[in-house]
Amino acid sequence: MEVTCLLLLALIPFHCRGQGVYAPAQAQIVHAGQACVVKEDNISERVYTIREGDTLVLQCLVTGHPRPQVRWTKTAGSASDKFQETSVFNETLRIERIARTQGGRYYCKAENGVGVPAIKSIRVDVQYLDEPVLTVHQTVSDVRGNFYQEKTVFLRCTVNSNPPARFIWKRGSDTLSHSQDNGVDIYEPLYTQGETKVLKLKNLRPQDYASYTCQVSVRNVCGIPDKAITFRLTNTTAPPALKLSVNETLVVNPGENVTVQCLLAGGDPLPQLQWSHGQGPLPLGAVAQSGTLSIPSVQARDSGYYNCTATNNVGNPAKKTVNLLVRSMKNATFQITPDVIKESENIQLGQDLKLSCHVDAVPQEKVTYQWFKNGKPARMSKRLLVTRNDPELPAVTSSLELIDLHFSDYGTYLCVASFPGAPVPDLSVEVNISSETVPPTISVPKGRAVVTVREGSPAELQCEVRGKPRPPVLWSRVDKEAALLPSGLPLEETPDGKLRLEHVSRDMSGTYRCQTARYNGFNVRPREAQVQLNVQFPPEVEPSSQDVRQALGRPVLLRCSLLRGSPQRIASAVWRFKGQLLPPPPAVPVAAEAPDHSELRLDAVTRDSSGSYECSISNDVGSAACLFQVSAKAYSPEFYFDTPNPTRSHKLSKNYSYVLQWTQREPDAVDPLLNYRLSVRQLNQHNAMVKAIPVRRVEKGQLLEYILTDLRVPHSYEVRLTPYTTFGAGDMASRIIHYTEPINSPNLSDNTCHFEDEKICGYTQDLTDNFDWTRQNALNQNPKRSPNTGPPTDISGTPEGYYMFIETSRPRELGDRARLVSPLYNASAKFYCVSFFYHMYGKHIGSLNLLVRSRNKGGLDTHAWSLSGNKGNVWQQVHVPINPSGPFQIIFEGVRGSGYLGDIAIDDVTLKKGECPRKQMDPNKVVVMPGSGAPRQPHPQLWGPMIIFLLALQR
């Protein structure tokens, strides 16, 4: 691509003071997507209303320099200040298929380091209407004075909705109200907040046996349709009743097949049956069908409550519960309790002694215990008692009490727990009583009181228990802020006294307590000890990465600091430059405390000394590095995004120009800037225009400007800007510039609306017509659109070019009208000329009308121009003179013809002061569409012969 450039320098007579154009962030929230309405409520709060399931799109429009960063957060509502969701760092917040729980207040926070952040908010109100639920209740009261019974029926309709629903009750097709029928009463119960309406049928009459409909409505808000539910009331209507085929408590053996039938004993309409298991699902393999629950090969884990529920929306649901108990035993334990009265902790002859035995069983109360001494059944006597359910011990515990212990009582005692007659294996526990049976002691082995390991390694904490028998050891943490063990439990049992930890982390450091259990040993005060765990981890340093800029010849001091580590000391510090080892820096003078940093001084920044520096700090466990990038290159430019009206369009060439503005970040940090290298490339193209822009002294906050010309409508471009100093190229900045069509105004002469921007130059769709105009180009056309009508491209002939057209296919009908209304113009001249291109191709073409709406005539629309019928597959231009007497708008009205081959399009609308050219049709203004056999007008190249450069210099 050949590029010809002309450079024009100009001084702009303005001066920057202080921060120049640097400005704090400003923010505004705008909406897009499928909002129903954005309104202001009674406390001037912005409320965005959207239907559940639609797409929420909020955009935070920001101004300020440098360009502010945007962060979206949300609260559950105005009562909560805590953010409920993860932040979104994007100017546009988009939530697909929004749910009711995602309603609330959304905050947009914009900050750029200048001044205080800007925070704006909007409340999102999600609208929904669920299916209503209708239930029936009845009461019978005995009125003794008149010796009759009065039967009253309540029909209760409940619905979840936002906004609150409106209720309509109907009997058959007739709407009910208590003002028209004394036998009914309609009211809202207390504390239901508009979610419930009750229809009360007093002293039930024969005509009250009918079909009743509850219709709920949110008045079509967000297009949500009404919903309804119907119930037929008869003289047999009754609530459900149930009975079970088994007892409410069912005890079975493991491995058996269990079948429970839930039988209906009444209910009209026919109730629905459902089985549930506590708070969780039914067991794997269980089948619930027609009220029958079957569980094959039942196991202990299947024990629990099973609920059968019958509902028919009449009265309260009927519920029957079966407590299924699968026989099982586990966890056999014993306790040795010395004489409690004498507060002894040892076994002594002449004192009492109690042996206890317990198992966890289902059902617990059905467990039986047998005691044996030295292999023979223990015989009851005055000195040997067997008791059950000791209040000081767990429920259903068996105790063998030895009164006034004799030497002959020494021996081996065996406790056997069993389910008589059930195929459940017995559990037993053995206790040896002798002169060697002593209470436990606990201690930490020598050298194991403090355990030091590296992060990620395994660790073993050990406590030794002596005594006979040896009880289990229970471990816990002493640290209050870390009450749970790494396993997530407050207590952990170890049979050998060793707590094993895998992959220890630094938060596991602290004090651990080991103590003896009061079961499987002596039931006495626990003995305890403590172990300290120290977890060593590599150092953490700052800065992890730092960009250091300095002018050539100036000194630089690099500093790497130790933030934390275990041990908290620097064992060694090694500096490297571009990977090569540097001589150690001068030693730091000996101080009271070990140094927590390492420094490297560069006497002067040069091209040779510029590059990557690394400081590696070690604490004998590991190492961490600070990275420094030292250079004299300039920082990147900061593009200015708040330029007013940066786009200028040109009617004849279909080109536009763009005002590019920027400031230089920290220009005084390095050597003075010499020039900028500008690169401009059309998106999806490879070639770029490159230009050097010389500058003089650039100061912080100074606004620089460059005007790009001959950009093609509606293409977007990537702009790259690189500063240069005596050191060389600095950091490049890039941005994408988009064509934004300026709003058409008569005050801007020769300003043409090409409809390339979504804002369509401020034109709006008329709300009083039958359908809308559509913005389209060749790339987004419907591939199934009707052939032989409508233009294939816009007036420029490029596939990216947009135009406005009316789609006349179904459901459009003959005479339907679509109106496109311009912005309001203030009349400052007597005559104006409206110029535009039209395309009217198809055998069913209707009419295209141009109307003028004058505000000083009460909004009256007057016809200024009209054309009907097929005009061929060609764009044609027309000039229409108008003479408004005051503020006015122009209206393009498309009228549908007799069939679907009647699409009408317009493009390149111009409104300017003065009279229209006398020659209404310029041959050069006729563009024949491809396929007609006629030549078309060539297009101008992307870049014209001139690029004007304006550079603002501060003095």
Side-chain angles (χ1 to χ4, degrees), residues 527-554:
R527 277 57 169 165
E528 64 178 50
Q530 292 184 350
V531 179
Q532 179 69 33
L533 175 63
N534 294 331
V535 180
Q536 294 184 334
F537 55 91
E540 296 180 13
V541 296
E542 71 171 2
S544 59
S545 178
Q546 185 177 4
D547 188 8
V548 180
R549 306 291 176 99
Q550 186 61 278
L552 291 173
R554 295 181 186 176

Side-chain angles (χ1 to χ4, degrees), residues 49-95:
T49 304
I50 187 171
R51 178 174 175 170
E52 186 174 43
D54 286 349
T55 300
L56 170 71
V57 181
L58 298 177
Q59 188 175 7
C60 189
L61 301 181
V62 295
T63 60
H65 188 70
R67 182 71 167 178
Q69 297 294 315
V70 173
R71 176 190 179 203
W72 283 98
T73 49
K74 172 188 174 290
T75 59
S78 58
S80 172
D81 293 328
K82 296 182 178 179
F83 292 128
Q84 301 289 315
E85 297 184 0
T86 304
S87 300
V88 177
F89 294 88
N90 200 334
E91 292 186 10
T92 300
L93 174 67
R94 183 181 184 90
I95 300 178

Side-chain angles (χ1 to χ4, degrees), residues 765-843:
Q765 307 284 355
D766 195 337
L767 300 179
T768 63
D769 56 9
N770 305 110
F771 65 111
D772 290 341
W773 287 79
T774 303
R775 178 174 167 268
Q776 180 176 276
N777 66 9
L779 299 179
N780 64 12
Q781 286 178 350
N782 186 347
K784 297 182 180 180
R785 68 189 185 95
S786 304
N788 302 319
T789 187
T793 65
D794 75 336
I795 182 64
S796 70
T798 60
E800 299 88 0
Y802 282 88
Y803 56 89
M804 301 297 294
F805 87 109
I806 61 170
E807 172 60 64
T808 57
S809 301
R810 295 177 59 186
R812 301 278 67 86
E813 297 179 354
L814 176 65
D816 280 357
R817 299 173 183 270
R819 288 187 166 195
L820 190 65
V821 184
S822 76
L824 181 65
Y825 303 121
N826 291 318
S828 57
K830 185 175 181 181
F831 298 103
Y832 288 89
C833 183
V834 181
S835 302
F836 61 93
F837 285 86
Y838 63 86
H839 188 282
M840 302 173 66
Y841 170 54
K843 66 179 181 179

